[in-house]
Amino acid sequence: MASDDMPFLILTRAGFDDIVARIEQPGAVLLLNPGIASETELARLREAGATIHLLPAAIAAGPAPGLDGVLHAAGAGGAAWIEHAVATPGPVAPAVEPERLPEEQSRALHHRLVGTVGSLAGHALRRLGRFGQGGNPMLLPYLGFGNANKLWVKGRVLDEVDFREQTGQDSGWHNLVALYRRLESDQVSGARVVARFQDQVMETHTDRGGYFAFEIPSSAPLSGGWHEVELELPDSATRDRGVVRTVAQVSVPAASARFGIISDIDDTVLWTNVTNKLNMALMLARSNAHTRKPFKGVAAFYRALSAGASGQDENPMFYVSSSPWHLFGPLVDFLRVQGIPLGPLLLRELNMSQVLTLTSHGSHKLDKIEQILGYYPDMQFVLIGDSGEQDPEIYTEVVRRHPKAVRMIYIRNVNPDPARIDALDRLIAEVSATGAQLILAPDSVFAASHAAAEGLIHVDRLADVRSDKREDDKLLHSST
């Protein structure tokens, strides 16, 4: 049996022996539960030309009547083999109750599995096609931002998908189902979108990815807070329903704001293991906004920064990430559930075939930060990131271009490699020469203590950050 680059998700030793005996190794992509094969066996497979990915945690083999049929509906072009559980003697792990999709939706999904997403094809990140021929268009606005004179609004038009609310009791299978729905790319290109704000009426069309954006001038100076922009699809009316409409929320900084905060998300606010795209995707599939936790003390630290030295500054938050816009909903849910100050998210426009091979990470972030700074030329910013990828280099480049716009850089130190530390020391020296500071922080308590000393947060907030970190420690220990 030839592999034709078809990925194989193998969950048991029996499945491993069966597949290895029947496939041609060159070009084969194998996703394996840990512990079902020896290092020697894996090395032989790699030498034979196979690509091996060990899952970060074991996935239980069990029947899945809902999406199980969908996942096994591998047709021509982008099929995937997924091990199906069979009854065997001996102890069997408890089965996880799968989510049962409505029959009509299951049939629709059955016909929509096309394409492959790297080594996770056929698993959580399958590229989905159109939602049938009769799908309803859905307007999905993202959180926008603006100043006293103009607003920026972005969104997407999709075929409608029924998202249900997730809870802390959801199983890993339920989370996987939710991820399928979130990662669906049933974009509607060329759709006419109309925006209304005050006396302004603007029109545009969605691009090939289904995205649209507006920059809306204000006829009168805007006050700080959240403003609403009405959006509609004027050509969406049918005999059964009226025109599709929704409202976009757009944030304008308060007059009391002393500085803005621009934060990375991946491995800064929450652990995503973004440097390993397979592990990142599996983490998202196995958890949700209720069960996924931020780094210890981050929520209280960000609340303190937003409140500022007076406790009432209302400093605006912005989140810039290389995650795709497909994850906007889960990320907003995460911020809300975890009590982290909400703010506009600037994510990436990606096809799902690109999610596991992100490129131009630095260029994307730098462009989005430039866009933010362009809206607030008189505001200084605190930049927060981690040392795992390019945040220090990106933020240093921001300082080079806008030396007066950056007040402080906090980098969570996640890479102990001496060569990386040497590189960071050089960046620290370069940033310091401009009058700004780049601080390597081992945790949120350290960063908060420095911020209090610099007058960025009120000293009384330190106790909250320490308490938040202790609570997170307790949760971590209770779950291990």
Side-chain angles (χ1 to χ4, degrees), residues 26-38:
V29 179
L30 308 181
L31 286 77
L32 306 177
N33 260 342
I36 65 173
S38 68

Side-chain angles (χ1 to χ4, degrees), residues 281-296:
L282 289 172
M283 181 279 296
L284 290 168
R286 294 167 64 88
S287 60
N288 62 52
H290 296 266
T291 58
R292 203 173 298 139
K293 296 300 178 184
F295 281 108
K296 293 175 286 188

Side-chain angles (χ1 to χ4, degrees), residues 86-430:
V86 295
T88 56
V92 179
V96 176
E97 177 65 21
E99 178 166 358
R100 299 177 183 272
L101 297 182
E103 182 177 352
E104 181 181 352
Q105 188 174 356
S106 182
R107 286 198 303 269
L109 284 169
H110 180 98
H111 295 293
R112 292 156 57 213
L113 283 176
V114 294
T116 300
V117 185
S119 62
L120 272 185
H123 192 55
L125 296 182
R126 163 93 45 198
R127 164 69 164 87
L128 303 178
R130 302 277 304 176
F131 188 77
Q133 297 301 313
N136 298 328
M138 177 177 66
L139 261 172
L140 178 61
Y142 304 129
L143 296 176
F145 59 90
N147 54 36
N149 303 311
K150 60 184 179 181
L151 303 178
W152 180 79
V153 178
K154 185 181 179 70
R156 203 176 188 200
V157 179
L158 302 170
D159 275 349
E160 190 172 14
V161 180
D162 181 25
F163 294 130
R164 72 168 180 82
E165 292 294 327
Q166 292 179 272
T167 71
Q169 286 70 50
D170 278 2
S171 67
W173 184 260
H174 288 143
N175 293 326
L176 179 58
V177 172
L179 183 64
Y180 259 87
R181 289 170 171 166
R182 295 291 189 184
L183 293 179
E184 184 165 359
S185 292
D186 287 349
Q187 68 269 15
V188 179
S189 61
R192 191 159 61 103
V193 185
V194 172
R196 290 184 172 87
F197 181 72
Q198 295 175 337
D199 56 353
Q200 304 288 327
V201 179
M202 303 183 71
E203 182 178 306
T204 190
H205 289 79
T206 57
D207 63 15
R208 292 179 60 185
Y211 296 98
F212 64 88
F214 292 98
E215 186 170 79
I216 306 173
S218 173
S219 57
L222 298 172
S223 60
W226 290 94
H227 296 262
E228 294 187 347
V229 175
E230 297 177 359
L231 299 172
E232 70 174 45
L233 300 176
D235 303 323
S236 61
T238 67
R239 291 187 303 173
D240 300 325
R241 66 172 187 273
V243 171
V244 173
R245 293 186 174 90
T246 191
V247 173
Q249 301 290 330
V250 186
S251 175
V252 173
S256 58
R258 295 179 57 208
F259 57 86
I261 304 104
I262 299 176
S263 174
D264 180 33
I265 296 177
D266 314 309
D267 292 333
T268 299
V269 175
L270 77 159
W271 181 83
T272 62
N273 200 10
V274 72
T275 57
N276 185 315
K277 303 304 183 292
L278 172 61
N279 286 357
M280 173 182 168
L282 289 172
M283 181 279 296
L284 290 168
R286 294 167 64 88
S287 60
N288 62 52
H290 296 266
T291 58
R292 203 173 298 139
K293 296 300 178 184
F295 281 108
K296 293 175 286 188
V298 163
F301 180 42
Y302 281 30
R303 290 194 295 267
L305 285 170
S306 182
S310 75
Q312 299 178 337
D313 288 353
E314 299 183 66
N315 298 317
M317 297 287 310
F318 301 85
Y319 298 93
V320 177
S321 170
S322 291
S323 293
W325 281 108
H326 304 70
L327 299 181
F328 171 80
L331 291 174
V332 170
D333 290 344
F334 171 82
L335 296 176
R336 285 176 171 152
V337 169
Q338 302 301 333
I340 300 173
L342 196 61
L345 281 72
L346 287 83
L347 308 180
R348 292 192 66 179
E349 295 185 12
L350 292 176
N351 294 322
M352 288 315 299
S353 60
Q354 301 171 284
V355 169
L356 301 185
T357 56
L358 297 181
T359 57
S360 303
H361 166 87
S363 175
H364 158 74
K365 282 193 172 181
L366 189 57
D367 289 346
K368 297 307 179 184
I369 293 173
E370 288 275 8
Q371 182 181 1
I372 295 169
L373 297 186
Y375 268 73
Y376 312 106
D378 299 323
M379 180 177 286
Q380 285 194 309
F381 285 86
V382 173
L383 311 181
I384 307 176
D386 66 87
S387 64
E389 287 199 313
Q390 302 175 44
D391 288 347
E393 287 78 7
I394 296 167
Y395 293 167
T396 300
E397 179 61 26
V398 174
V399 173
R400 293 188 192 112
R401 299 184 184 187
H402 309 277
K404 297 184 182 301
V406 179
R407 182 167 178 179
M408 194 71 62
I409 300 173
Y410 289 111
I411 297 295
R412 193 177 68 86
N413 190 16
V414 299
N415 190 341
D417 180 62
R420 182 58 171 158
I421 298 298
D422 289 344
L424 292 174
D425 285 341
R426 291 190 290 272
L427 296 177
I428 290 171
E430 180 178 348

Side-chain angles (χ1 to χ4, degrees), residues 5 24-29 43-52:
D5 295 326
E24 298 174 6
Q25 276 77 49
V29 179
R44 289 173 181 166
L45 288 172
R46 291 188 177 101
E47 290 175 1
T51 299
I52 307 295

